[in-house]
Amino acid sequence: MSRPLSDQERRKQISIRGIVGAENVAELKRGFNRHLHFTLVKDRNVATPRDYYFALAHTVRDHLVGRWIRTQQYYYEKDPKRIYYLSLEFYMGRTLQNTMINLGLQNACDEAVYQLGLDMEELEEIEEDAGLGNGGLGRLAACFLDSMATLGLAAYGYGIRYEYGIFNQKIRDGWQVEEADDWLRHGNPWEKARPEYMLPVHFYGRVEHSDTGAKWIDTQVVLALPYDTPVPGYMNNTVNTMRLWSARAPNDFNLRDFNVGDYIQAVLDRNLAENISRVLYPNDNFFEGKELRLKQEYFVVAATLQDIIRRFKASKFGSTDTVRTVFDSFPDQVAIQLNDTHPAMAIPELMRIFVDIEKLPWDKAWDLTRRTFAYTNHTVLPEALERWPVDLVEKLLPRHLQIIYEINQRHLDHIASLFPDDVERLRRMSLIEEGGNKRINMAHLCIVGSHAVNGVAKIHSEIVKTQVFEDFAELEPEKFQNKTNGITPRRWLLLCNPGLAELIAEKIGEDYVRDLSQLTKLHEFVDDDLFIREVAKVKQENKVKFALYLEKEYKVKINPSSMFDVHVKRIHEYKRQLMNCLHIITMYNRIRRDPVKLFVPRTVIIGGKAAPGYHMAKMIIKLINAVAQVVNNDPMVGSKLKVIFLENYRVSLAEKVIPATDLSEQISTAGTEASGTGNMKFMLNGALTIGTMDGANVEMAEEAGEENLFIFGMRVEDVTELDKKGYDAQLYYDRLPELKQAVDQIKSGFFSPNEPNLFDDVINMLFHHDRFKVFADYEAYVKCQEKVSELYLNSKAWTKMVIRNIAAAGKFSSDRTIKEYARDIWHVEPSDLKIPPPNEPRDAAQDKTPNGTAA
């Protein structure tokens, strides 16, 4: 049962979690009972917890709808520049609690639910995660939507409504097993189907050229049915829209061909069209060139661009005209951000619309297109870059291939005019990679077709400019920018760590929630003994709560005063979960070697999903579980060391583990992790970081001071140097006895006695083709971990370092990131405007934008 509000809490009428007032609570209870009645549950005694969840969700949704309509009316009337965020992934997680917080209803809902005799946490646990993403890229899109709404931008997220999201991970006998994520099984109270905006998307067919231009004919049509989800800003009455497309077969699908005869088969074949939005591809940082994936990419792009142009044409823009017929102002009214290359087909598609349908001259169309698009690069790993076979594109999208060829021809003509006789440069910069199987380099298409290209952390943007796309940056240096990633403090502090959020609010006020840079004020309290104790107390409470969760789920007794050492992210060789595993084995061997020596107790928690087809990642999961099996059952070790593999890591589980973490593991090989955002979540929630100088770790060290992070290992220059000279794993194995012992144990079957050769592939990789040089950083990592243990013994010094980290975390708000995109790329100003709530007259809006117009 949720704890009742204390008198002090009742008196505190306003807080960062909203107002508690008798009227609010009574209104919420009435709404709840009304919705419970609507679900045809007449007798409260037969209602299930799921009935209660849906009643609460619909009650909260009622408070969204009026604001949602108001916001969209406001945009229609003011006609601000619209921002369109195109992404194949939106990793939203759960919606209920986030909505309550952003609407300022959390406290009132807590009280109402308590008075109804229900448990709020139990209801929240019923909601399925919307797992429409793999990891960082999809979760970033979700944080960005929250920030864009909070900053009052007229923004829209566009993506696919996958029927099945990222698979549910089960661990059976130490192995990952995938199960389908049927997240819509019980319905989704947060979405609204909009069949009135259904649009056709064309595939296959052929191109006919005539005097009037090109015509794409004899195509197969799939319908795109939009589902809208409201995206509330924090306490500003703005509610933006995420529109996700679902594929539907037209009613005459496969029946147009007279004499088909097999009517039943024709109806069954409708599935082929509708498969487009069936399932999310579960690859993170890996390109799989499948036809269905290309269909998904074009499907979202084609439906979205039709929608954008419809909205552009229909805008009122302060006059009585009903349609715009001229496109000159298009880039002044529309900004489209491409989240990686996945939606890159938007570039040739917009050109097709402008040239073939709207009959604009090529040069005019190309100028408008380039000024509209901007591209965010998310990875430098070569295996992740999209390179679509020309023959596949020719079959699926014949007109788009012609347009890409034309873009490329003009691009190469331009390069040749600047660098005559430099054939090698032309080859490097072409959109088409020649060779046996011709491919389209989608990153090159994005760079050429956009006015801005950005990386997602300083070090990453530097690598993008000086290495990966060096030729392009030399040509147009002004095009390349950095936009360091951020996270929304609403979900990643207020929602997941209310104890810490309230403690901070007591010290520095509540405004930090919308201006995270104010956390620097906490520097004043680094030496405040009471504050130090309170911060430590909140962390301890979070750890006790998570320890109970682990004991319930994994039947392992956890020592809550042990250091919670956490490594959660997708399983990938470059993220080096294997290095962590070697450290676990090293700690285990040290305890066994000298059982009476003082050892700082640790609970090592590793979690994350492996792509189903990624053999090595799956072997890494099996190895971690095999090591855990031995360590957790060795009586010599006892409670000094426990290892847990967190099953089915996802947004809702991150919200539980991150606030309970002492040590955050961010140990990728320098130059491989573009940014990382988990690192920021841990920092904001009072964990210390052990990490390499990679991604945003570099800027975290810059903000907090390198002495307040545990930085170790090779820098980018060292990695480059080692590559030049040649990495030889054997040298480290021969030189480091503890490394040799750990590797030999894996090799000999110490952790897999029934199958001694089980991990041969892992050992072989580590010695002969480890691109990420685990052994090269092992020694520095283990030494750095010793420093971590030493500091952990001094609780006060540890907590002071924690406070310095929290105080330095302000830069890593996605609000800051979005302000930079808005000013440097989209050319719009964030707005402080608070649209009046539905119960106030519409003209009560207070506009505080610098130029008096909403952005």
Side-chain angles (χ1 to χ4, degrees), residues 305-433:
L305 281 173
Q306 288 179 77
D307 218 31
I308 290 172
I309 285 168
R310 171 193 60 75
R311 197 175 285 118
F312 170 78
K313 286 182 170 181
S315 295
K316 270 175 70 171
F317 62 104
S319 82
T320 53
D321 295 353
T322 50
V323 290
R324 283 190 174 97
T325 50
V326 179
F327 285 92
D328 293 28
S329 64
F330 194 77
D332 302 320
Q333 290 299 126
V334 173
I336 304 176
Q337 191 70 36
L338 303 174
N339 195 26
D340 215 316
T341 58
H342 312 149
M345 290 307 293
I347 292 169
E349 173 66 5
L350 187 58
M351 283 299 287
R352 185 186 71 82
I353 294 167
F354 281 160
V355 173
D356 294 359
I357 297 168
E358 302 293 343
K359 303 299 181 189
L360 268 53
W362 181 279
D363 289 335
K364 177 73 178 166
W366 184 239
D367 174 61
L368 295 176
T369 297
R370 274 180 58 134
R371 285 164 52 208
T372 300
F373 286 111
Y375 156 56
T376 302
N377 172 276
H378 280 275
T379 181
V380 298
L381 296 183
E383 64 267 33
L385 296 176
E386 292 195 297
R387 295 152 63 247
W388 286 106
V390 162
D391 51 7
L392 176 58
V393 177
E394 185 170 33
K395 177 176 77 156
L396 196 68
L397 303 166
R399 179 59 182 143
H400 297 75
L401 182 65
Q402 293 177 353
I403 290 168
I404 290 167
Y405 274 147
E406 180 67 23
I407 292 169
N408 193 40
Q409 189 56 58
R410 289 168 182 248
H411 162 61
L412 292 181
D413 288 348
H414 176 56
I415 305 300
S417 73
L418 295 172
F419 303 94
D421 306 323
D422 194 343
V423 182
E424 185 54 27
R425 183 183 294 265
L426 291 178
R427 187 194 60 73
R428 290 196 308 266
M429 295 185 76
S430 176
L431 309 192
I432 312 293
E433 296 177 358

Side-chain angles (χ1 to χ4, degrees), residues 44-58:
R44 278 281 294 266
N45 297 322
V46 298
T48 65
R50 178 161 281 108
D51 294 324
Y52 291 136
Y53 162 73
F54 271 92
L56 178 58
H58 285 118

Side-chain angles (χ1 to χ4, degrees), residues 126-224:
I126 289 163
E127 183 177 354
E128 299 274 354
D129 279 46
L132 309 185
N134 277 283
L137 175 146
R139 183 54 234 175
L140 185 79
C143 284
F144 278 5
L145 293 184
D146 180 90
S147 286
M148 289 188 288
T150 297
L151 292 169
L153 296 176
Y156 303 76
Y158 273 96
I160 294 177
R161 180 183 180 265
Y162 300 105
E163 206 175 305
Y164 296 91
I166 186 65
F167 61 86
N168 284 317
Q169 179 194 57
K170 291 277 184 278
I171 301 297
R172 298 211 211 289
D173 189 29
W175 296 98
Q176 168 176 298
V177 177
E178 300 87 23
E179 287 183 358
D181 168 40
D182 191 5
W183 72 290
L184 294 166
R185 180 173 55 242
H186 302 288
N188 174 6
W190 304 105
E191 68 181 7
K192 173 85 179 78
R194 304 299 301 271
E196 66 273 28
Y197 291 116
M198 189 142 61
L199 293 166
V201 175
H202 298 262
F203 293 102
Y204 304 109
R206 59 193 177 86
V207 184
E208 226 174 43
H209 290 274
S210 68
D211 298 345
T212 55
K215 251 189 159 167
W216 184 18
I217 57 170
D218 298 341
T219 56
Q220 286 185 23
V221 175
V222 176
L223 299 176

Side-chain angles (χ1 to χ4, degrees), residues 447-478:
I447 294 167
V448 170
S450 298
H451 69 276
V453 175
N454 73 280
V456 290
K458 277 183 192 168
I459 184 175
H460 167 61
S461 297
E462 214 35 55
I463 291 168
V464 162
K465 259 199 302 210
T466 58
Q467 294 172 39
V468 193
F469 303 127
E470 185 185 3
D471 293 316
F472 293 91
E474 188 186 333
L475 194 68
E476 300 180 281
E478 69 292 341

Side-chain angles (χ1 to χ4, degrees), residues 83-90 145 156-160 226 228 241-245 300 303-305 307-308 310-311:
I83 312 304
Y84 295 103
Y85 197 82
L86 265 65
S87 182
L88 268 283
E89 302 184 19
F90 286 94
L145 293 184
Y156 303 76
Y158 273 96
I160 294 177
D228 288 355
T241 302
M242 175 177 67
R243 177 162 285 181
L244 302 181
W245 301 101
V300 66
T304 299
L305 281 173
D307 218 31
I308 290 172
R310 171 193 60 75
R311 197 175 285 118

